[in-house]
Amino acid sequence: LRQTEGFVRSLMVLMKVDLIVPDHTTLARRRRTVCVHEYRWPRKGPVDIVIDSTGLKFFGAGEWARKKHGETRRSWRKLHLSVDPDSNEIIAHELTNDDTSDPAMVGHLVANAGGNIRAVIADGAYDGEPVYQAIRAVRPARSPPRIIIPPSKPSIPAKGEAHGGSERERHAAEISRRGRIEWQRRHGYGKRSLVETAISRIKKINGGCLTSRTFGSQQNEVAIHIKIANRNMQVARPMTERVR
């Protein structure tokens, strides 16, 4: 925040504008209660969403003492994201403690995504019937999204072996019959990598860490970073065309 304060002051001098620039202490106080309005891009129809999470380090209580005495334990928050792979927009996020499991946040991410969801894509860390149930619980039964999560290896039956009728079991049977690579191609699982691109964009903004100390301020800080990342994609997204 000190850097931001100095940068804005220099801009005021260059622009020859006589305005008072808030000091870094004032900015820190306002960050606790600021309301970040999220802008949603207009959608033309159903969308896919890709879900993943990442860790963000922060300078928590006792961090200085741990560093001084050589302790390796660090303070982390976990950021859970859902991304529209077609527009690269981050459409929902949740910041939690580092001990919150990824599957526990799936329902919140899908519910907060809004609109009509065609498919939910995630990696094998989200595999399990509780995740399928959480997604079904927050989406209307008349138009449930497809769930594209690769089952774990022990769940995949041998070729020719009978399987159940659930969506997860059908995925496992298809992988057994066609192979994992073909399953990924048929279901568009390659889109999952785009959520990692979104995570990279956020970490380029905040350096992979949070400057706020309190959880409420950290939530607002993350919301601001995500709004910046989405805005950057909106105004500077390259338009590509396939050349034949």
Side-chain angles (χ1 to χ4, degrees):
L1 292 180
R2 288 183 174 89
Q3 293 176 342
T4 303
E5 178 188 351
F7 175 69
V8 175
R9 287 185 188 278
S10 65
L11 286 180
M12 296 298 104
V13 173
L14 291 173
M15 297 172 63
K16 298 180 180 180
V17 177
D18 186 17
L19 291 177
I20 298 176
V21 178
D23 58 80
H24 61 275
T25 305
T26 302
L27 294 175
R29 286 199 305 267
R30 291 179 179 175
R31 184 167 54 183
R32 302 171 190 168
T33 57
V34 65
C35 181
V36 182
H37 297 282
E38 298 184 9
Y39 172 75
R40 292 288 179 85
W41 297 0
R43 301 178 187 174
K44 297 181 180 179
V47 298
D48 300 336
I49 63 171
V50 188
I51 293 174
D52 205 351
S53 68
T54 187
L56 297 174
K57 188 179 183 301
F58 72 98
F59 195 88
E63 186 78 9
W64 179 85
R66 287 196 290 269
K67 185 175 181 180
K68 178 181 178 181
H69 296 290
E71 297 182 21
T72 57
R73 183 175 176 273
R74 296 180 178 180
S75 301
W76 296 87
R77 297 292 188 205
K78 186 179 283 189
L79 177 61
H80 308 262
L81 298 172
S82 66
V83 176
D84 178 357
D86 295 326
S87 64
N88 290 322
E89 178 194 9
I90 301 170
I91 56 179
H93 71 277
E94 292 284 347
L95 187 70
T96 65
N97 293 326
D98 59 351
D99 57 353
T100 303
S101 68
D102 293 344
M105 300 307 299
V106 170
H108 297 279
L109 293 174
V110 175
N112 294 337
N116 190 3
I117 298 176
R118 181 172 49 232
V120 178
I121 306 172
D123 61 21
Y126 294 86
D127 177 46
E129 283 299 334
V131 171
Y132 284 76
Q133 294 171 5
I135 295 173
R136 297 287 184 240
V138 297
R139 302 308 299 179
R142 63 180 181 276
S143 58
R146 294 186 300 119
I147 302 174
I148 304 172
I149 301 174
S152 58
K153 288 185 178 180
S155 303
I156 299 176
K159 287 187 177 181
E161 185 176 324
H163 63 86
S166 70
E167 187 171 9
R168 180 172 178 268
E169 291 170 328
R170 291 197 300 271
H171 283 316
E174 184 177 350
I175 291 174
S176 174
R177 186 172 64 256
R178 299 178 182 273
R180 189 172 292 270
I181 300 300
E182 179 64 16
W183 175 86
Q184 293 178 0
R185 187 189 66 79
R186 288 172 60 88
H187 292 276
Y189 182 73
K191 293 180 179 180
R192 197 203 64 80
S193 62
L194 294 174
V195 70
E196 297 176 0
T197 304
I199 290 173
S200 176
R201 294 203 314 270
I202 294 173
K203 290 192 173 182
K204 285 181 179 178
I205 294 172
N206 61 21
C209 60
L210 301 171
T211 59
S212 304
R213 302 288 185 89
T214 63
F215 185 64
S217 297
Q218 290 168 354
Q219 288 179 311
N220 287 334
E221 183 179 350
V222 166
I224 292 171
H225 295 163
I226 289 176
K227 188 170 184 178
I228 293 172
N230 281 341
R231 182 61 176 169
N232 287 344
M233 284 302 303
Q234 185 180 19
V235 301
R237 183 185 181 189
M239 301 298 293
T240 59
E241 292 185 8
R242 184 176 181 180
V243 178
R244 298 183 179 179

